[in-house]
Amino acid sequence: MKRRTSEAAFETAIESVLLGEGYTPLDGTGFDRERAIFPDAALDFIRATQAKVWEKLAALHGEQTGARVLESLCKWLDTHGTLATLRHGFKCFGKTLRMAFFRPAHGLNPELEARYQANRLGLTRQLHFSPKSEKSLDVVLSVNGIPVVTLELKNPLSGQTAANAIHQYRNDRDPREPIFVFTKR
């Protein structure tokens, strides 16, 4: 009897390890394909870590606060890219909002440590990323709702190699899709 091997088992193994290291599962149905972000995860992070700024924005925008923040975030990502946005935050109606907090240099400030611990690393399996098709990525890793890593897994036991993944990215993935535009996401 021939033993079957699949990428799904590899995905499960990777997921198991990363979930054990603090990643949280993010459901792919919450992914906004047009904007290439997980809007609920991004807004939850901002509300949880920057409540005072959120309150000031809510006083201006009321029920539209979330929509305005996401609009500003996406414009900032399109202009400055993911890495700059994660490093420095973004402006929303004169207020700076952070999308990630980095490990403090020392443990003397518990507030900085708490902010760092509030980061949410997300893992999504089989993410349907395109607004035009139902193509999916095997695994997507995100920081506070912003995708930062996409993975196409290949199984050498079924005759696949890294060259197959490279070929898939080059020939089967449109670099103009929002999630793949290098200078924006």
Side-chain angles (χ1 to χ4, degrees):
M1 179 186 340
K2 192 173 187 181
R3 188 174 178 181
R4 290 191 67 203
T5 56
S6 72
E7 290 175 6
F10 194 21
E11 285 177 32
T12 301
I14 289 171
E15 179 182 43
S16 175
V17 169
L18 291 177
L19 292 179
E21 294 295 322
Y23 280 74
T24 57
L26 268 180
D27 187 355
T29 59
F31 184 72
D32 184 328
R33 296 179 190 198
E34 296 287 338
R35 297 187 279 192
I37 62 169
F38 293 91
D40 292 340
L43 291 176
D44 289 347
F45 171 76
I46 292 169
R47 280 191 288 262
T49 60
Q50 299 153 87
K52 290 179 184 177
V53 177
W54 183 268
E55 288 171 13
K56 290 177 183 177
L57 290 169
L60 289 171
H61 303 290
E63 290 183 16
Q64 293 298 313
T65 304
R68 298 286 186 261
V69 168
L70 287 174
E71 183 180 304
S72 295
L73 170 59
C74 290
K75 283 182 182 176
W76 198 270
L77 285 165
D78 289 345
T79 304
H80 300 283
T82 298
L83 292 178
T85 304
L86 289 173
R87 285 184 183 139
H88 308 293
F90 68 100
K91 294 279 187 185
C92 180
F93 291 89
K95 308 288 183 203
T96 299
L97 293 167
R98 302 295 305 260
M99 285 310 299
F101 292 102
F102 294 91
R103 183 184 300 271
H106 51 75
L108 300 176
N109 188 332
E111 182 182 332
L112 292 179
E113 183 63 30
R115 283 184 168 185
Y116 170 70
Q117 293 299 328
N119 286 318
R120 293 293 167 248
L121 304 175
L123 179 140
T124 307
R125 289 176 60 175
Q126 294 302 315
L127 178 70
H128 296 277
F129 61 88
S130 175
K132 302 173 203 166
S133 73
E134 287 301 310
K135 292 181 180 178
S136 67
L137 293 160
D138 292 339
V139 177
V140 174
L141 305 178
S142 59
V143 176
N144 303 317
I146 299 175
V148 293
V149 175
T150 66
L151 303 170
E152 282 298 341
L153 305 177
K154 300 301 170 203
N155 187 341
L157 297 175
S158 60
Q160 299 174 321
T161 66
N164 296 107
I166 292 168
H167 183 269
Q168 188 171 7
Y169 271 106
R170 286 185 179 161
N171 299 302
D172 193 36
R173 301 289 182 242
D174 184 353
R176 295 169 295 187
E177 292 280 0
I179 198 167
F180 297 126
V181 178
F182 184 72
T183 57
K184 296 180 181 184
R185 298 290 191 277

